[in-house]
Amino acid sequence: MQYLRFLGAAFVVLSSAWVGFASARRLRRAGRELDELRAALEQMESELRCAAPTYAALCQRLAESASGAVSGFFSALATDAAAPDFEPVGATRRAVERSGLCLPPASFLALEQLLDGFGRFDLAGQLRQLGLAREALTHQAGRLREQTEAKCRSYEILGLCAGAAVLILVV
């Protein structure tokens, strides 16, 4: 009987700690994905200046050069854009959901404004929009980078403390 009590206590503490560590891992992942998205937007700008490919081809090139969820995001956009009945409004949201991309709300909004309206402007206007989106992502990445370690430590400690508090209440 004592064995089950210790096993249950360990389960409570470890599951709470896991939630805290998973939250910290998600925050770190968001920072990496923001950096990779910024690099993809720089590549997008270069592609537009030099080759001016179609939107679907551009997204496919970005998917091939990116990795992980960012690659999946651009791949989903390329697949949607290649469809004959492509509707750009909402395409960014659908692609984020399918790829599992982890973005802060302000970054998502900047990306959505850029990509859901892609092609509405001439090349100069499109490059301006791209620059604004890249600036927003840079700003968000900077803010996230400043806060990441402190928040991650807080999430991890909070997870451990919550497990310990539940254990105290149960025992």
Side-chain angles (χ1 to χ4, degrees), residues 4-70:
L4 288 177
R5 183 179 269 178
F6 285 125
L7 185 62
F11 180 72
V12 167
V13 171
L14 290 176
S15 63
S16 296
W18 180 81
V19 169
F21 282 90
S23 297
R25 188 175 53 248
R26 181 176 167 89
L27 189 62
R28 288 183 181 106
R29 178 180 148 207
R32 287 190 307 270
E33 289 177 354
L34 272 177
D35 289 339
E36 194 167 351
L37 269 174
R38 281 189 342 207
L41 292 184
E42 288 175 9
Q43 181 183 349
M44 182 184 272
E45 183 176 352
S46 298
E47 293 277 345
L48 286 174
R49 287 184 189 278
C50 299
T54 64
Y55 182 60
L58 178 62
C59 289
Q60 188 58 43
R61 287 182 188 171
L62 294 173
E64 291 167 0
S65 67
S67 63
V70 175

Side-chain angles (χ1 to χ4, degrees), residues 68-120:
V70 175
S71 176
F73 170 72
F74 283 111
S75 181
L77 280 176
T79 301
D80 285 353
D85 59 343
F86 174 62
E87 180 62 40
V89 176
T92 304
R93 183 172 302 281
R94 290 188 302 272
V96 165
E97 290 170 358
R98 285 192 305 212
S99 66
L101 195 61
C102 182
L103 291 175
S107 299
F108 171 76
L109 182 62
L111 205 58
E112 186 176 43
Q113 288 174 343
L114 171 69
L115 297 175
D116 280 2
F118 201 83
R120 286 187 297 173

Side-chain angles (χ1 to χ4, degrees), residues 41 45 110-111 113-114 125-139:
L41 292 184
E45 183 176 352
L111 205 58
Q113 288 174 343
L114 171 69
Q126 196 64 56
L127 291 173
R128 266 193 310 279
Q129 287 294 109
L130 195 54
L132 290 173
R134 200 172 64 241
E135 282 179 31
L137 290 180
T138 301
H139 177 71

